[in-house]
């Protein structure tokens, strides 16, 4: 079964908490923001058991009840620490409970973990596929060698790859994952399209004007915001999709508007070649893991 996703989907990191559940998170606001996003065409929703320690999934579960399940693409992920056979099976079942669903469209390995044999991971994913609890297998944050090790072990194809990729973080393009996905016809999803600041390596917030004159200039010329140009640069690339998080109605509209304009080839090339301080290795890169 081929997986078709829209160019822009909704991320949910920081909905319901960070690594822990935030008891003071405004759940009603979160539910309404997700519903507003779905009504505006963001029907691919990305989450993980890690987000708010399950709180994001609980909020999504409440938000999606009123929508046609068949029209949603719901993705979740198993944590790096849960990658033994039982851990993967339980993680999936717990995610389904919190999401109030009977299947996930996509179940990702959140981070490959060399502490767990690939064969054991594959057995769990194969069983989840056979039971119909998941429709597609995805892998996040893996190099080509790691992706291929998993691909050999699964009885089912890898349907989707997700990595840190934006104007600053270029590992997937520099190390060939984007090209690899294109050749294999596997959708590549760029997470964190709107890179925020990381002061210790001098990375600035790309959504704010004044930080990157090259981006400010292209945004001004096109009459768009920096965030829109950053998203558009990604989705203009063949086979590249993205997920971004917002609970802000104005930010949502900015992202949706990215489907309504084009960036010139020259603008895309300029950003590809000359955006400053490009990082070849992602913050969450695990490199070519010795998975055995
Ligand atoms: N697989 C993985 O390992 C992995 C890792 C990280 C993230 N992810 C997924 O990828 C998704 C996206 O990444 P992310 O949430 O880290 O970062 P992001 O989507 O690039 O940025 C989100 C931040 O940008 C703000 N924002 C959104 N639109 C904006 C706009 N137009 N102008 C200015 N600020 C804007 C949001 O705040 P407001 O809510 O106020 O708009 C939020 O603070 C995550 O939510 C998660 O689902 C996956």
């Amino acid at each position: 079964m081929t997986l078709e996703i829209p160019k822009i989907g909704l991320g949910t990191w920081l909905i319901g908490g960070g690594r822990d559940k935030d008891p003071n998170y405004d759940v009603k606001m979160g539910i309404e923001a997700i519903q507003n996003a779905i009504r505006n065409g963001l029907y691919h929703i990305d989450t993980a058991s890690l987000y708010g320690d399950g709180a994001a999934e609980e909020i999504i579960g409440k938000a999606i009840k009123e929508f046609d399940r068949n029209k949603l693409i719901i993705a979740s992920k198993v944590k790096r620490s849960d990658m033994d056979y039982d851990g993967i099976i339980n993680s999936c079942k717990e995610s389904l409970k919190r999401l109030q669903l009977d299947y996930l469209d996509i179940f990702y390995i959140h981070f490959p973990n060399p502490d767990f044999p690939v064969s054991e991971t594959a057995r769990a994913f194969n069983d989840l596929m056979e039971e119909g609890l998941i429709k597609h297998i995805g892998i996040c944050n893996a190099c080509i060698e790691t992706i291929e090790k998993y691909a050999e072990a699964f009885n089912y194809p890898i349907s989707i790859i997700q990595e840190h990729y934006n104007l600053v973080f270029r590992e997937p393009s520099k190390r060939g994952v984007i090209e690899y996905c294109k050749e294999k016809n596997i959708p590549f999803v760029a997470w964190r399209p709107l890179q925020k600041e990381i002061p210790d390596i001098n990375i600035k917030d790309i959504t704010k004007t004044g930080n990157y004159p090259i981006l400010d200039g292209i945004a001004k010329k096109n009459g768009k915001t920096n965030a829109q140009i950053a998203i558009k640069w990604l989705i203009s690339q063949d086979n590249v999709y993205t997920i971004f998080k917002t609970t802000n109605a104005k930010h949502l509209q900015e992202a949706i508007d990215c489907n309504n304009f084009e960036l010139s080839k020259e603008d895309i090339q300029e950003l590809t070649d000359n955006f400053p301080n490009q990082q070849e290795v992602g913050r969450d890169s695990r490199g070519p893991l010795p998975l055995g």
Side-chain angles (χ1 to χ4, degrees), residues 167-200:
L167 284 168
V168 177
F169 284 99
R170 300 294 183 95
E171 182 172 5
S173 56
K174 305 262 191 214
R175 300 199 174 189
V177 176
I178 292 195
E179 206 46 44
Y180 174 89
C181 288
K182 208 192 301 177
E183 276 164 20
K184 303 262 179 196
N185 213 12
I186 303 173
F188 175 92
V189 178
W191 59 256
R192 197 155 295 155
L194 306 174
Q195 185 63 53
K196 290 289 149 70
E197 65 170 0
I198 310 178
D200 56 319

Side-chain angles (χ1 to χ4, degrees), residues 9-15 25 29 45-48 50-51 75 77 108-111 139-141 162-164 166 189-196 205-208 225-228 231 242-255 284:
L10 184 71
T12 59
W13 167 239
L14 298 184
I15 289 185
Y25 189 82
M29 181 281 296
I45 299 173
D46 181 80
T47 191
L50 182 85
Y51 300 172
K77 314 184 188 86
Y108 286 101
I109 294 172
H110 205 151
F111 290 102
I139 302 186
C140 305
N141 307 307
Q162 192 184 118
E163 307 214 343
H164 193 188
N166 57 40
V189 178
W191 59 256
R192 197 155 295 155
L194 306 174
Q195 185 63 53
K196 290 289 149 70
D205 184 337
I206 61 179
T207 66
K208 295 215 169 95
T225 65
N226 286 14
Q228 287 177 302
I231 290 174
T242 195
I243 40 178
F244 88 113
K245 177 263 169 186
T246 193
T247 44
N248 172 306
K250 182 175 162 286
H251 291 165
L252 176 70
Q253 287 311 318
E254 280 185 28
D284 293 296

Side-chain angles (χ1 to χ4, degrees), residues 87-146:
I88 294 168
I89 303 284
N90 290 338
S91 170
C92 178
K93 289 185 176 168
E94 290 301 313
S95 288
L96 287 172
K97 237 186 257 168
R98 289 188 289 263
L99 287 159
Q100 304 182 49
L101 295 176
D102 51 13
Y103 70 91
L104 287 172
D105 296 274
I106 306 166
F107 194 41
Y108 286 101
I109 294 172
H110 205 151
F111 290 102
N113 187 342
D115 295 341
F116 298 96
V118 169
S119 55
E120 188 173 338
T121 303
R123 193 162 58 86
F125 273 78
N126 289 339
D127 286 356
L128 290 171
M129 288 288 288
E130 264 148 44
E131 277 183 60
L133 295 182
I134 65 174
K135 301 285 181 208
H136 293 277
I137 298 173
I139 302 186
C140 305
N141 307 307
C143 62
I144 293 174
E145 292 87 332
T146 300

